[in-house]
Amino acid sequence: MTTPHAKGGMADSAPIIVVGSGIAGLSAALAAVHGDDARGIPPSDVLILTTAGLEESNTLHAQGGIAAAIFPDDSPDLHTHDTIAAGDGLCDPTAVDILTHEGAERIRELLDRGVHFDKDQSGKPRRGLEAAHSRPRVLHAGGDATGRIVELDICRMIRDHPRITILEDTAVRDVIVKDGAVEGVRVTDVPSGRTRIIPGRRVVLATGGAGRMFPFTTNPVLATGSGVGIGLRAGAQVMDLEFYQFHPTALALGEHFLISEAVRGEGAHLVDERGNRYMPSVDPRAELAPRDVVARENYRRIMAQNGRPVFLDTSGIAAQQGLGHNKHALADFLADRFPTIDGYLRAHGIEWSDDPVPITPAAHYWMGGLRTDTHARTSVPGLYAAGECARTGVHGANRLASNSLLEGLVFGHRAGLAAADDPANRGWDDGRDDDAHGCILDHGNDGIEVGTIDDPTHAAPSTAMGGMTPPPTNPDESLRDLMWTGVGVLRDADGLGSAREGLRRLAATIPTDTALADTALAAYACATAALARTESRGAHARTDHPRTDPLQARSRAYVLQGAPR
């Protein structure tokens, strides 16, 4: 049911429109309604639009934790170093510095506001170690239910605020751009199908990821890539779309439930179908190597086994925890440390203290997205982006574990403050950045090449046997198959070219006023960017170009041909 939620009257001017209700959108909303007295930013009214209920989002389903350098033996500078190392040459150091320094501040604020992070016996936040982190700095909530608890705790703050209006079951179809700036959004009421225009000169896109472009994904059904599709049509630049992170360990059954990286952090091993452990021979960090390394090796082993899954063996946890061969003690530890995973596996007949868990790589996180400056502004005046639909520069070619929720928290906050403070028609940063860390970003003369993506919806209808090729009976499934076979874990020119052409033909058959049209455009843009990068770097692995090319150590931006400029 679509329900307005407000306890006070809206301001005379149109509110800031926030599209999406994960951690990035919620953070943007709270920042905007509180403002910043020290910087002279007044509070603003906010309208949150969400396709389902307020609480339903990618964040709700996130098992992993939030990385933050808030412990005495850690520092934001160390966190910055680890993040840049994982990004394989494409991180923006300025953005990473903001992430790690302000991330620690934002996490302390959540702790002060009573968000229920796990505590140790002394009452201090409990922390864990995850792959490619040099310090244990990952906070969890409810063991492996971090996203759910953080989402629900922050949603309570949102629902209690008198200056926030919530419209649930409301799908945004387009951002309306007039004379080069945002004028509002076109939305569809999901239950009735009625479409209307909501005016507004400041729109924050926080729509989440795009895992539903692939058949194997850890993402919920709402992760359709809508933010990238909507932003492209509005004329916004996109960047780093070729970099899609595949999580190494999703359950190879059913809905491909995520088996958190923290399980490997506690000592679980990867083994092939014969029970042989293989990661130590691939990387000195073994199971705690960066996700792209582990995902590719898992994929290779699965292909070598004719598509049969590899396994996650928890006996290594028993050894690391000093439990010996006591299966009952291991079962108790797993149930206490990973209650969500434990309950899900048991419900599906898997007793993981006894039996190894069948796993497969699955689409997990898109490093690329709508290109933004350090205040979440896109190239379209009045349009902001935060969270997974944005490309802030903090992830580069490969995201460091547990930096995603932190990015949404930090840059969502920045998006909310910028939207509340910016004058009408304010463009993105012109090189005169005034943030606290002395950051300077020049998006006008930074040397970034901006190419074009042709609009696949304008493709000429394909023909076969002298007649029109009928549209596929299941275009959603066809799209996912094209992406997995051509734009998946391992790529080459033939597969990418074939997938791109298939996506072009498919997009021409999909009604433009649908969520699937956004997914098709996002997928086509992803394939286009992946075909253009003729090297392997981070999460982008090409078997025909297996080496990293120093001459390509640069991000590429694209705009949609024919979109507003």
Side-chain angles (χ1 to χ4, degrees):
M1 178 179 178
T2 303
T3 53
H5 175 87
K7 293 185 177 179
M10 299 297 291
D12 292 337
S13 60
I16 295 169
I17 297 172
V18 175
V19 184
S21 58
I23 193 168
L26 300 179
S27 183
L30 287 175
V33 295
H34 286 122
D36 187 331
D37 288 341
R39 293 169 55 188
I41 302 175
S44 296
D45 294 317
V46 170
L47 171 62
I48 296 178
L49 306 176
T50 179
T51 304
L54 179 70
E55 289 77 10
E56 181 56 45
S57 64
N58 276 17
T59 299
L60 186 75
H61 298 272
Q63 294 177 8
I66 304 181
I70 63 171
F71 301 97
D73 62 347
D74 198 4
S75 73
D77 289 341
L78 284 174
H79 191 182
T80 292
H81 176 272
D82 294 344
T83 299
I84 290 175
D88 205 1
L90 291 189
C91 289
D92 180 335
T94 295
V96 177
D97 186 58
I98 290 168
L99 175 81
T100 60
H101 285 81
E102 294 188 12
E105 297 173 22
R106 300 284 85 78
I107 290 298
R108 291 189 180 100
E109 286 175 356
L110 291 186
L111 287 165
D112 290 343
R113 290 180 175 182
V115 172
H116 293 85
F117 287 107
D118 294 342
K119 305 290 181 64
D120 60 21
Q121 292 182 343
S122 67
K124 297 179 180 178
R126 182 186 296 174
R127 56 174 169 163
L129 177 66
E130 293 188 5
H133 286 274
S134 60
R135 296 285 190 278
R137 62 168 67 99
V138 180
L139 285 76
H140 292 88
D144 55 0
T146 305
R148 172 173 289 275
I149 289 175
V150 170
E151 175 78 11
L152 296 180
D153 281 354
I154 299 179
C155 278
R156 279 190 283 271
M157 304 176 201
I158 293 288
R159 289 192 181 276
D160 287 343
H161 202 286
R163 298 190 70 166
I164 297 176
T165 297
I166 303 163
L167 287 181
E168 300 175 304
D169 299 314
T170 303
V172 173
R173 296 301 183 206
D174 284 296
V175 170
I176 300 167
V177 177
K178 184 178 180 181
D179 297 328
V182 169
E183 288 286 325
V185 292
R186 186 169 61 88
V187 305
T188 298
D189 178 74
V190 174
S192 70
R194 289 193 298 270
T195 298
R196 64 188 176 103
I197 303 296
I198 298 177
R201 304 187 74 176
R202 295 160 298 173
V203 174
V204 179
L205 292 177
T207 55
R212 290 291 157 169
M213 294 192 301
F214 297 92
F216 304 103
T217 181
T218 62
N219 289 185
V221 295
L222 295 177
T224 60
S226 61
V228 168
I230 291 168
L232 274 169
R233 287 196 303 275
Q237 290 185 18
V238 294
M239 185 177 275
D240 288 347
L241 296 186
E242 62 268 40
F243 299 112
Y244 208 106
Q245 186 176 78
F246 294 88
H247 199 285
T249 54
L251 183 64
L253 301 168
E255 287 294 309
H256 311 296
F257 184 81
L258 180 82
I259 308 298
S260 170
E261 189 155 2
V263 177
R264 284 175 282 133
E266 295 288 359
H269 296 154
L270 289 161
V271 297
D272 62 22
E273 62 182 355
R274 296 184 177 181
N276 297 317
R277 187 182 178 195
Y278 50 84
M279 280 307 302
S281 65
V282 175
D283 189 284
R285 293 161 291 188
E287 283 81 7
L288 293 183
R291 284 177 175 175
D292 63 303
V293 174
V294 182
R296 285 196 291 271
E297 190 59 29
N298 286 353
Y299 185 81
R300 291 188 185 101
R301 298 282 171 161
I302 289 170
M303 292 299 100
Q305 296 174 177
N306 294 317
R308 295 185 295 276
V310 291
F311 295 88
L312 195 64
D313 183 355
T314 62
S315 62
I317 294 179
Q320 186 163 303
Q321 296 296 323
L323 303 177
H325 298 288
N326 187 333
K327 293 292 185 181
H328 293 296
L330 177 58
D332 290 342
F333 177 86
L334 294 173
D336 177 65
R337 176 65 180 84
F338 306 107
T340 305
I341 299 173
D342 185 74
Y344 189 91
L345 294 179
R346 287 176 180 274
H348 287 76
I350 299 174
E351 177 48 75
W352 61 326
S353 62
D354 285 326
D355 302 315
V357 180
I359 58 98
T360 180
H364 186 58
Y365 191 89
W366 207 353
M367 274 74 74
L370 300 172
R371 184 186 180 195
T372 65
D373 69 6
T374 56
H375 294 281
R377 305 181 189 101
T378 74
S379 57
V380 178
L383 182 63
Y384 307 79
E388 193 172 348
C389 72
R391 185 275 182 190
T392 62
V394 301
H395 303 309
N398 196 35
R399 176 175 69 85
L400 181 66
S402 290
N403 269 356
S404 57
L405 292 178
L406 189 71
E407 181 198 31
L409 185 65
V410 169
F411 288 93
H413 183 88
R414 285 185 151 239
L417 289 181
D421 189 42
D422 285 348
N425 302 327
R426 165 69 188 262
W428 62 1
D429 197 280
D430 61 2
R432 294 185 294 273
D433 198 342
D434 59 353
D435 72 60
H437 301 292
C439 306
I440 295 178
L441 277 184
D442 186 347
H443 287 284
N445 299 291
D446 57 8
I448 295 294
E449 175 188 356
V450 181
T452 58
I453 297 172
D454 57 308
D455 191 341
T457 62
H458 296 163
S462 58
T463 59
M465 301 299 290
M468 187 78 69
T469 300
T473 55
N474 191 333
D476 196 5
E477 183 176 322
S478 297
L479 185 152
R480 293 196 298 266
D481 288 344
L482 284 166
M483 288 296 288
W484 186 252
T485 56
V487 202
V489 179
L490 296 176
R491 304 161 173 179
D492 61 29
D494 289 343
L496 287 166
S498 177
R500 186 173 182 270
E501 183 57 29
L503 291 164
R504 179 202 301 275
R505 293 173 179 170
L506 181 65
T509 70
I510 297 171
T512 57
D513 197 28
T514 63
L516 187 56
D518 292 334
T519 309
L521 178 54
Y524 182 77
C526 179
T528 299
L531 186 59
R533 183 171 288 277
T534 53
E535 65 162 350
S536 289
R537 183 182 296 273
H540 174 65
R542 288 191 52 163
T543 57
D544 55 345
H545 295 282
R547 298 184 182 277
T548 299
D549 179 4
L551 298 178
Q552 297 190 53
R554 178 182 295 275
S555 293
R556 294 186 177 95
Y558 298 89
V559 293
L560 185 67
Q561 191 172 20
R565 297 292 181 90

